[in-house]
Amino acid sequence: MAGFRYHLKRLAPAVSKNPVKRAMEEGAEAMDFKEVVENRRAVNYFDTQRDISEDQLKQMVEIAAKAPSSFNLQPWNLIVLRDHQDKLRLQKHAWDQPKVSEAPVTMIVLADMDGWQPGHPVMEKDFAELVKIGMLQESQREWFENGCKNLYGTSDARKVAFACKNAGFFGMNLMLAAKSLGFDSHPMDGFDIDGVKEAFSIPDNYWVPMLLAVGYFRKDKTLLPPKWRKSYEELLVRFD
Amino acid sequence: MAGFRYHLKRLAPAVSKNPVKRAMEEGAEAMDFKEVVENRRAVNYFDTQRDISEDQLKQMVEIAAKAPSSFNLQPWNLIVLRDHQDKLRLQKHAWDQPKVSEAPVTMIVLADMDGWQPGHPVMEKDFAELVKIGMLQESQREWFENGCKNLYGTSDARKVAFACKNAGFFGMNLMLAAKSLGFDSHPMDGFDIDGVKEAFSIPDNYWVPMLLAVGYFRKDKTLLPPKWRKSYEELLVRFD
């Protein structure tokens, strides 16, 4: 990370309910966004001697939870594993990757395919809030429910797309929030989704879009150079 | 946005190939990550008089493209609309939301469900790079191809999950990169995916996980307070 400037600042101690403000009040390093993006790397080796405190973890998750979502439905949850035996149990279904148990915290990110359904507590809370702030009227409940159903509920593909796109927002924010607090992470796809769901009794309404190991990079290891990315010209397409 | 500090710095002019470094060299505002997360809001009204330059847009997209992805497959592309008629054509399929055409730039984010297939140019480039850096050997091609196929290709749901999770990473990064450069954005789900695909001749291998309007907030409008988010306690679950 040589060559990057960290903007350190420490503010007077205080306790704010806002996780972003609290992190800064508590003296978290303020790190420029572009540096966070640049410094976030998928790290294969974690220092098994360095833990992440419960308060640090909470800050990370609460910052990440600021991600937007379809109609604010926030169709994501987390299983947070700290116990070594739990992590080994997960590792067995994750191609036996050592980082699953070497990281102090390993998360199973869950994407709720039913997050748009009428009666879902988050959906109900969202609707109530939209009525409260005057954006919708109680009489528009059917219109709102049908809108969600037509967008997210008319096929399995749409349910998966809804859940995984939004969980992708949250997952990206988790990785960046980790880096902004000085942690390293590694997102993993290499796992048996059915095995993981069975091992942790995860209900059918959840897809498991990723595992995320979080901790500190092992200093005796060397990071490979960043992988290539598509250029702007490669990213932009037009078919009409 | 009162109450947040922007950390301004201007460095000596230079031209770097790295989009993050270039943005900073060119005097982009350095904004603390947590402030970017906090200040990113879905903005309903865009200033129709303020444009985004091609260079600004390129910076935004290149910063966002630093998002990680499954095996670095980067299964995402963008259709960038600036032409007013093009935007009106999209708006027709997007619940006639005025912001689609009021924003100077409106993007159709594409998620490539075939991004893991053997023969896909990105997949081939990835494999070649993994061989080059010694992480894989040429003889492991079949193993690599089967791994991707088993993870992403065994059902329509898996293809959609692969494409949309990764496009979600990219989409989140796009919104944050926009904010870090001083732009506002609005992610949209309210559109007819089949209508949009037909109107812009988008091939079948793409899912359309979101539209994204990018520009500047109209200063004569007032932003609603941020919507509620799930608490840490609500986010963490356990079923076993």
Side-chain angles (χ1 to χ4, degrees), chain A residues 156-171:
Chain A
D156 284 347
R158 281 178 185 255
K159 288 180 195 175
V160 173
F162 159 76
C164 290
K165 186 268 298 271
N166 285 298
F169 290 168
F170 181 51

Side-chain angles (χ1 to χ4, degrees), chain B residues 90 145 199-200:
Chain B
L90 178 61
E145 287 182 0
F200 292 89

Side-chain angles (χ1 to χ4, degrees), chain B residues 176-206:
Chain B
L176 295 175
K179 187 76 253 176
S180 80
L181 294 169
F183 315 142
D184 296 298
S185 68
H186 195 116
M188 282 170 273
D189 260 7
F191 60 90
D192 164 20
I193 186 169
D194 297 323
V196 170
K197 287 184 76 166
E198 199 185 328
F200 292 89
S201 305
I202 296 168
D204 284 343
N205 58 303
Y206 286 110

